[in-house]
Amino acid sequence: MGGLKLRTQIIFKRAIACAIALFSPAALYAQSCAMCYQSAAASGPRTIHALKAGILILMFPPVLITAGIVYLAYTRRDKFNEHC
């Protein structure tokens, strides 16, 4: 019975941590560099659009690399257990 109580506590703690992460304001995760903010705010709409496009372009390689690693791990998950 003690194992069930411990497992329930662990699940509860993880659920609380996930809820805190999901419901916390997005501003907490931003760097909020005052100099960067002032520079971006003072620029024109074309520069702001280019900055947003640049952020999206720089985001794709890490996402693709992570997706590739997850795919390889998933497809080869039982490779080492075949000889047992």
Side-chain angles (χ1 to χ4, degrees):
M1 197 53 110
L4 180 63
K5 185 177 179 181
L6 180 64
R7 187 177 300 162
T8 306
Q9 287 177 348
I10 291 171
I11 291 172
F12 182 71
K13 287 179 184 179
R14 288 181 182 174
I16 294 293
C18 288
I20 289 172
L22 286 173
F23 296 116
S24 61
L28 290 177
Y29 302 114
Q31 292 295 321
S32 299
C33 172
M35 202 165 146
C36 297
Y37 175 77
Q38 291 296 327
S39 175
S43 62
R46 293 185 70 186
T47 307
I48 293 173
H49 179 70
L51 182 63
K52 288 181 181 181
I55 290 170
L56 286 175
I57 289 170
L58 289 173
M59 187 176 68
F60 279 113
V63 169
L64 292 176
I65 290 169
T66 303
I69 291 172
V70 168
Y71 174 75
L72 287 174
Y74 182 75
T75 57
R76 298 179 183 189
R77 67 188 181 276
D78 292 328
K79 183 177 182 179
F80 297 106
N81 293 332
E82 290 177 356
H83 301 293
C84 294

